[in-house]
């Protein structure tokens, strides 16, 4: 009996001392926030950034309301337009030499994943629908785009709720788009956030409770998933959600992920994917973020408030208003984390 009690005590001791503690994360203040979405409860979900190279102050941010449609915001956060849609979840965009194409995962039909395509009319700050296209069986959840360097071909990755990833080829050469499913990959459990590095053709996907994975984005490549970072409860706390990139040089820079479980954002240095630090958004005049789903990040000059780039993060709690998106200067993140 005495031995058993001792074992029980040891176990109890282990349980209390071995619980992971999240690594500290400095605060970075939001510089602006968008108008709140119309829908109460959990509604704002995922952003995408378009940088206006000729007039950075006129850059645009797209954001989904997964219960109502999709917004276009100015760089000051003002809502410029709204396009109703049944259930768009994540959104990504690519500037194809003057024509800006946005793609959203569409789960209006939970039995068949769709992708909804839009042209972003950058002068009118409005999304023009190009149609909804079936992808495969299952519920659409995550969405990211890839422009292949060798031939500028456009591909989309639709992450289904069960962890399957369907890759589509998007052909915009005809009068109406052609969307063809070209292959599927598979992760074990619920996955959503994804991003493709156009420099390297590497696809990154977040499996919410497990960690981050990397695939070769080319449809002719093996479908092998390479594990690159774990949900460890310290540097990355479940759910692992939105992903974004801060590229530098040919293969360097950072991969950023929403560490939703502890309201932080974790950075990994590329190309080796080593832990590089973490931060939270808050501590300024604008409320901080919590429970973030989607993020996007684009480097470059976005005007005086964002001289080196713009990071946009969904905010799960914008009380007393409904949810919205926060804007953060990438330069402020770099300074807070003393990045080189
Ligand atoms: Ca949410
Ligand atoms: Ca996005
Ligand atoms: Ca999720
Ligand atoms: Ca907040
Ligand atoms: Ca607010």
């Amino acid at each position: 009996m005495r031995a058993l009690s001792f074992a029980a005590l040891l176990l109890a001791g282990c349980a209390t001392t071995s619980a992971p503690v999240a690594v500290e994360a400095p605060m970075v203040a939001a510089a602006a926030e968008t108008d709140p979405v119309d829908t109460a409860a959990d509604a704002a979900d995922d952003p995408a950034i378009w940088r206006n190279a000729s007039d950075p102050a006129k850059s645009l941010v797209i954001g989904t309301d997964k219960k109502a449609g999709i917004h276009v915001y100015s760089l000051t956060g003002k809502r410029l337009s709204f396009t109703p849609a049944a259930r768009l979840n994540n959104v990504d965009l690519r500037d194809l030499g003057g024509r800006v194409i946005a793609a959203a995962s569409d789960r209006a039909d939970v039995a068949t994943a769709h992708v909804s395509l839009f042209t972003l009319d950058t002068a009118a700050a409005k999304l023009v629908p190009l149609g909804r296209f079936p992808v495969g069986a299952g519920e659409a959840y995550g969405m990211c785009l890839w422009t292949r360097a060798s031939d500028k071909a456009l591909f989309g990755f639709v992450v289904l709720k069960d962890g399957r990833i369907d890759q589509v080829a998007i052909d915009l050469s005809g009068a109406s788009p052609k969307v063809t499913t070209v292959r599927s990959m598979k992760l074990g459990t619920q996955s959503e956030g994804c991003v493709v590095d156009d420099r390297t053709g590497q696809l990154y996907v977040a499996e919410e409770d497990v960690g981050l994975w990397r695939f070769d984005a080319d449809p002719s490549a093996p479908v092998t998933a390479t594990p690159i970072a774990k949900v460890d409860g310290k540097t990355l706390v479940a759910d692992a959600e939105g992903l974004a990139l801060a590229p530098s040089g040919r293969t360097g820079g950072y991969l950023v992920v929403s560490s939703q479980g502890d309201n932080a954002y974790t950075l990994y240095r590329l190309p080796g994917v080593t832990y590089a630090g973490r931060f939270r958004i808050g501590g300024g005049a604008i409320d901080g973020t919590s429970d973030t789903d989607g993020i996007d990040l684009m480097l470059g000059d976005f005007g005086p408030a964002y001289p080196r780039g713009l990071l946009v993060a969904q905010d799960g709690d914008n009380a007393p208003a409904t949810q919205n998106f926060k804007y953060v200067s990438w330069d402020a993140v770099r300074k807070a984390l003393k990045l080189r």
Side-chain angles (χ1 to χ4, degrees), residues 45 89 141 190-193 208 239-241 260 293:
D45 197 75
N89 203 49
Y141 207 40
Q190 184 165 312
S191 305
E192 180 175 4
E208 296 183 354
D239 298 355
E241 285 281 333
Q260 189 182 57
D293 290 309

Side-chain angles (χ1 to χ4, degrees), residues 42 44-45 66 260 291 293 314 323:
D42 192 31
D45 197 75
K66 61 190 175 190
Q260 189 182 57
D291 214 21
D293 290 309
Q314 184 261 0
Q323 293 182 344

Side-chain angles (χ1 to χ4, degrees), residues 318-337:
N318 185 41
T322 53
Q323 293 182 344
N324 67 355
F325 299 89
K326 264 53 179 187
Y327 296 179
V328 175
S329 165
W330 181 245
D331 198 38
V333 174
R334 293 180 74 256
K335 283 175 177 146
L337 294 181

Side-chain angles (χ1 to χ4, degrees), residues 33 281 286-290 315-319 324 326:
E33 63 180 329
I281 300 174
I286 295 168
D287 63 296
T289 56
S290 56
D315 183 12
D317 181 2
N318 185 41
N324 67 355
K326 264 53 179 187

